[in-house]
Amino acid sequence: MKLSDDEYDEKSNKILAIIIGIVCGLFTAYASSVDLDASCIFIAILIANILALKVDGIHHISTMASFLITFILLGFQSFTFSSIITIVICMIGAIIDEIGNDNDKIYKKSKVLEYFFDYRFALKVVILLLVFIGLLNILSFVYFLCFEIAYEIARILFEKYIL
């Protein structure tokens, strides 16, 4: 999704941003359809982005549409009360990240806060806490860290080689 955002925001390449976003939506929907933890995390991120008003381009809308359509077609997990609680808790962490990310008021307060929100640590901390209390599997945390590392690699590649 980082490459889609950067293509849209930095290079104004809407077509490529949409294509990359759709691919992201397809893979995310697949992961969500086969794993309840992934489903909880990605649904929470989706809702948080909508609530934080971060869905700000056609690439986001096409990504969301490809995710939802594919998720429905592949079949989604049966949600339990604890998975709904997990979604809500992850959503709160993701909203905190979205509000803090790229927020100059917060960044000016402290370098620690800038680092924390630049790398969106709120949701990482929330997911780790959910592992400790037994609502998520430890592998889900590991996979989420891999997802986040891929996001950061995309940022570095875009800034160094694509921009």
Side-chain angles (χ1 to χ4, degrees), residues 43-72:
I43 287 171
I45 292 170
L46 173 67
I47 295 168
N49 277 278
I50 292 168
L51 293 176
L53 305 175
K54 296 288 184 155
V55 179
D56 60 359
I58 188 69
H59 64 303
H60 288 146
I61 294 167
S62 60
T63 302
M64 187 170 43
S66 70
F67 170 79
L68 291 172
I69 291 166
T70 306
F71 189 49
I72 290 167

Side-chain angles (χ1 to χ4, degrees), residues 128-155:
L128 185 59
L129 290 173
L130 290 171
V131 167
F132 285 134
I133 63 174
L135 289 175
L136 290 175
N137 184 305
I138 186 65
L139 280 178
S140 298
F141 178 71
V142 172
Y143 294 148
F144 186 70
L145 288 180
C146 290
F147 170 82
E148 291 292 312
I149 290 167
Y151 186 92
E152 292 308 319
I153 290 170
R155 180 197 324 217

Side-chain angles (χ1 to χ4, degrees), residues 100 103-115 117:
N103 186 324
D104 288 333
K105 281 184 172 181
I106 292 173
Y107 284 12
K108 288 178 184 176
K109 291 183 182 197
S110 152
K111 284 290 181 192
V112 172
L113 287 175
E114 180 179 353
Y115 185 83
F117 286 113

Side-chain angles (χ1 to χ4, degrees), residues 75-90:
F76 46 88
Q77 301 289 319
S78 296
F79 294 106
T80 62
F81 179 73
S82 64
S83 61
I84 293 169
I85 296 299
T86 301
I87 291 170
V88 170
I89 294 169
C90 286

